[in-house]
Amino acid sequence: MPTNNKILSLKHIFITSIVSLTTLSFLVTASVTLYFIFSHLEKDFKQDIIERSAITSKTAKAYLISKDVIGLEKRLSRLSSISRMNTVHIYHLNNNQVSVTSSYNKDYTGNQGIRHIPSQINRKERLKSPQINGAIIEYIQPITEGNTIIGYVYLEMDLQSLQSLKNKTYLCLSVCFLFILCFSIFLATRLQNKVFNSVDSITTTVQKVSHKKAFDLRCEIQDYQEFELLARSINNMLARTEKHVKRQVDAEQQILKLNHELEDKVSQRTEALKDSNEELLSTLEKLHQFQGQLVESEKMASLGDMVAGVAHEVNTPIGLGVTASTLLSDRLDEIKECFDSKTLKSSQLKRFLADGQENIGIIYRNLNRAADLISSFKKVAVDQSSEEDRQFMVSELIDEVVLTLAPQLKNSPVTLEVDCPDELVITSKPGPINQILINLIVNSLIHAFDGQPDGTIKICIMVLSGQLHIQYKDNGKGVDQSVKNRIFDPFITTKRGEGGSGLGLHLVYNLVTQALNGSIQFDSVVNKGISFDIVFPVIIGSN
């Protein structure tokens, strides 16, 4: 089962989710509320300065027309009664020249005196609509006579009350936020403790059951309906498991008792078969040794035809030995069945011993004969699978294979076609590659084209992604489906009794997968031929 390296805590997620949801809800609500409140207040202040500008504009128009500057100054001085009014400038437009006619500046008591600000007429385009700049709001409105602009009025009003309201509001909201945050953490912790106490209780019980295998433990009664249902389900499961374990233990004890009784009986009745079994095991061990020797001999068989005769001679005694051992195994199964059913008769046992002695004698004589045949076979080839890597040209290696098999190819109606780059140089084990090609070609000559007037063998060599691909095909008889799935198994052959040992392709498979660290794929269609795709890593190019 895959494991997750990052395991999350449900308690942590529970608390974090509640606190996050509370915080987000408060921030969103406060932000939206403050936005609408302050937007409405700012809109009121802008509307207020527009209305005051309109009133001031109407008042100043009469003085500008009559050019009564002193009267305008006196009229503007009355604005001191408006605490929020900071500055008022009246500009006169004469021959496209704008000049300050009159102004009012709020009298700042204390050490600051009167605050004077320069002319703002150059900002008239920007201040065509009220602009809030920090703690002040500014606005310029034209003074018109009919459709003619005769001047401008500039107003600057104090917004300290709005700024103070914002600061107090933010401070109050911060305090409320801290209180709500602390309360949400407290509430989440309380809820978490109430909810997860039940989870911890059930988890602790399950862990004790798992570690100590104490299936008699039960989960405590829970306060919440859902966890109580879970606890009851676990308790039911534990009760059933306890009963099952108890039955299992009783059954195991009974089986142990029966096994001890059976062992005593078997040990008494099989003493006579002990020597025969030891001899049979020794024979089987020799058979495995002979199999290894046959595999080694098949590596050299690709260089000549001697292995066919030897394989035929060896298969005969081995076949007799296998037949005798199979018969002995069948008799042994019959005796065991009678023994298990307690119907074994002394006559059956006596007949089994006699047959066993005769079959073991047959096995012994035939295996000795096979051993003599194998030991007398002189090696004619050197095992090349252990050869070290070296650099060589692939086309030259194939030419050597064709030259080695020239007599067989000359005496057969087979055409060999090779597609290999002429200058392809690789670093690998040439010995196993040589053995593979020889075995494949000889296998085709023996099996694929037997009784056919002509045929074609194609070998295609290519290099892809640092790997050598060998594609081998023939258009011979092909392989039946029953043999196809076991083509690389040892001793699988269609020429049993005619010189075929069934070790050639087994050797090819071992050379590809072990000596070359590659892979081999096989496919065949009856009467259409076979194909081998061999791939293994190599080093391309010369040093």
Side-chain angles (χ1 to χ4, degrees):
M1 179 182 294
T3 58
N4 185 6
N5 294 329
K6 186 178 181 181
I7 301 178
L8 301 178
S9 171
L10 191 59
K11 295 181 180 180
H12 177 74
I13 294 175
F14 184 81
I15 295 176
T16 303
S17 299
I18 292 180
V19 174
S20 300
L21 181 61
T22 304
T23 302
L24 181 62
S25 300
F26 177 81
L27 292 178
V28 171
T29 303
S31 299
V32 173
T33 303
L34 290 178
Y35 172 77
F36 284 109
I37 291 176
F38 289 126
S39 296
H40 182 71
L41 289 175
E42 289 178 359
K43 183 178 180 181
D44 288 345
F45 279 111
K46 290 180 179 180
Q47 185 63 32
D48 180 59
I49 196 172
I50 290 174
E51 292 174 354
R52 293 183 184 274
S53 296
I55 295 173
T56 306
S57 175
K58 291 179 180 179
T59 302
K61 180 171 68 172
Y63 290 98
L64 289 178
I65 295 174
S66 62
K67 298 182 180 180
D68 185 2
V69 178
I70 297 174
L72 183 58
E73 287 283 352
K74 289 180 180 181
R75 186 61 181 264
L76 293 179
S77 63
R78 298 177 185 176
L79 296 175
S80 60
S81 61
I82 303 175
S83 61
R84 292 179 47 245
M85 188 66 70
N86 287 346
T87 302
V88 178
H89 287 178
I90 303 298
Y91 301 96
H92 180 235
L93 179 61
N94 186 14
N95 296 327
N96 293 328
Q97 297 294 323
V98 181
S99 59
V100 179
T101 301
S102 300
S103 63
Y104 162 77
N105 292 287
K106 185 177 182 180
D107 184 9
Y108 290 84
T109 58
N111 298 327
Q112 295 181 356
I114 298 176
R115 172 176 171 267
H116 296 281
I117 64 173
S119 172
Q120 301 293 321
I121 194 62
N122 58 339
R123 298 171 61 203
K124 66 178 185 294
E125 293 298 328
R126 181 181 175 187
L127 298 178
K128 289 169 61 176
S129 60
Q131 300 292 326
I132 295 177
N133 186 12
I136 64 172
I137 181 169
E138 302 175 287
Y139 179 59
I140 292 180
Q141 182 175 350
I143 303 172
T144 59
E145 174 62 26
N147 294 327
T148 304
I149 297 176
I150 62 173
Y152 296 92
V153 58
Y154 165 78
L155 267 67
E156 177 189 297
M157 297 184 70
D158 188 5
L159 293 181
Q160 286 292 342
S161 59
L162 178 62
Q163 195 66 30
S164 176
L165 177 61
K166 286 185 178 180
N167 294 336
K168 292 178 181 179
T169 304
Y170 291 146
L171 178 60
C172 181
L173 287 176
S174 299
V175 173
C176 293
F177 172 73
L178 291 177
F179 173 77
I180 292 175
L181 181 62
C182 294
F183 179 75
S184 64
I185 293 175
F186 171 77
L187 181 61
T189 304
R190 289 294 301 273
L191 290 175
Q192 178 260 129
N193 290 334
K194 286 183 175 294
V195 172
F196 287 97
N197 281 342
S198 298
V199 176
D200 292 338
S201 175
I202 295 174
T203 302
T204 301
T205 302
V206 173
Q207 288 178 342
K208 289 181 180 179
V209 172
S210 175
H211 293 163
K212 300 180 180 180
K213 296 184 178 180
F215 296 105
D216 56 337
L217 293 178
R218 296 294 182 269
C219 296
E220 298 178 355
I221 298 176
Q222 305 300 321
D223 297 331
Y224 300 100
Q225 181 179 359
E226 291 79 5
F227 292 113
E228 174 62 18
L229 180 60
L230 176 61
R232 289 182 181 178
S233 300
I234 293 176
N235 288 339
N236 292 336
M237 181 187 68
L238 291 175
R240 294 178 181 176
T241 304
E242 183 181 11
K243 293 181 181 178
H244 177 74
V245 170
K246 185 177 180 180
R247 289 197 299 267
Q248 189 72 18
V249 171
D250 294 340
E252 289 178 357
Q253 294 295 332
Q254 185 67 21
I255 290 173
L256 288 175
K257 182 179 178 181
L258 293 175
N259 284 341
H260 287 306
E261 295 177 357
L262 184 61
E263 287 176 0
D264 293 338
K265 293 180 181 179
V266 171
S267 61
Q268 295 173 1
R269 297 184 182 183
T270 57
E271 187 67 28
L273 298 176
K274 183 176 180 180
D275 295 336
S276 299
N277 289 337
E278 291 179 354
E279 188 174 358
L280 180 60
L281 291 174
S282 176
T283 303
L284 291 175
E285 183 178 355
K286 290 181 180 180
L287 182 61
H288 287 299
Q289 294 176 357
F290 296 153
Q291 178 181 341
Q293 294 176 10
L294 286 175
V295 172
E296 293 298 323
S297 66
E298 181 64 22
K299 293 181 182 180
M300 297 170 292
S302 61
L303 302 176
D305 297 328
M306 288 185 293
V307 72
V310 173
H312 176 67
E313 293 295 328
V314 170
N315 282 336
T316 301
I318 290 179
L320 294 174
V322 169
T323 302
S325 64
T326 303
L327 181 61
L328 182 59
S329 177
D330 293 339
R331 294 292 184 270
L332 184 60
D333 289 338
E334 294 176 1
I335 292 296
K336 185 177 182 302
E337 182 179 358
C338 293
F339 176 77
D340 291 337
S341 61
K342 298 181 180 180
T343 60
L344 180 63
K345 299 179 181 178
S346 59
S347 58
Q348 290 178 315
L349 182 60
K350 185 180 296 183
R351 186 169 61 255
F352 167 74
L353 293 175
D355 292 341
Q357 186 174 7
E358 181 181 355
N359 287 324
I360 290 175
I362 294 173
I363 294 172
Y364 179 77
R365 288 193 301 273
N366 281 280
L367 289 180
N368 274 337
R369 181 186 174 191
D372 293 337
L373 287 171
I374 293 172
S375 62
S376 64
F377 178 68
K378 185 177 180 180
K379 296 182 180 180
V380 296
V382 179
D383 182 14
Q384 302 178 11
S385 62
S386 60
E387 183 179 342
E388 298 295 331
D389 289 352
R390 70 175 178 86
Q391 190 178 99
F392 60 93
M393 188 174 293
V394 179
S395 60
E396 293 180 355
L397 177 67
I398 296 178
D399 291 341
E400 294 175 1
V401 172
V402 174
L403 182 62
T404 302
L405 298 176
Q408 290 93 325
L409 294 172
K410 183 177 180 181
N411 295 326
S412 65
V414 175
T415 302
L416 179 62
E417 298 178 2
V418 179
D419 182 9
C420 176
D422 293 335
E423 303 299 327
L424 177 59
V425 177
I426 64 171
T427 300
S428 184
K429 296 181 176 66
I433 300 175
N434 185 291
Q435 286 278 359
I436 291 169
L437 294 175
I438 289 177
N439 275 277
L440 291 178
I441 295 174
V442 170
N443 188 74
S444 293
L445 294 177
I446 295 175
H447 299 280
F449 303 110
D450 185 22
Q452 292 193 359
D454 56 20
T456 302
I457 297 175
K458 295 182 180 180
I459 301 176
C460 179
I461 308 293
M462 66 182 68
V463 175
L464 295 174
S465 302
Q467 292 184 320
L468 189 69
H469 290 244
I470 301 178
Q471 188 178 62
Y472 179 93
K473 293 183 178 181
D474 70 39
N475 59 353
K477 296 179 179 179
V479 175
D480 188 75
Q481 185 67 31
S482 60
V483 180
K484 178 180 176 181
N485 296 331
R486 300 181 295 129
I487 194 68
F488 295 120
D489 292 348
F491 305 109
I492 298 299
T493 180
T494 58
K495 292 288 186 176
R496 185 74 64 193
E498 300 178 19
S501 66
L503 294 175
L505 293 183
H506 179 62
L507 174 61
V508 169
Y509 180 83
N510 289 337
L511 289 173
V512 173
T513 58
Q514 297 178 16
L516 300 177
N517 295 321
S519 63
I520 180 171
Q521 301 293 329
F522 170 76
D523 193 18
S524 176
V525 178
V526 177
N527 297 325
K528 291 187 179 181
I530 56 96
S531 67
F532 292 90
D533 290 323
I534 302 172
V535 181
F536 54 90
V538 296
I539 299 176
I540 310 300
S542 57
N543 296 330

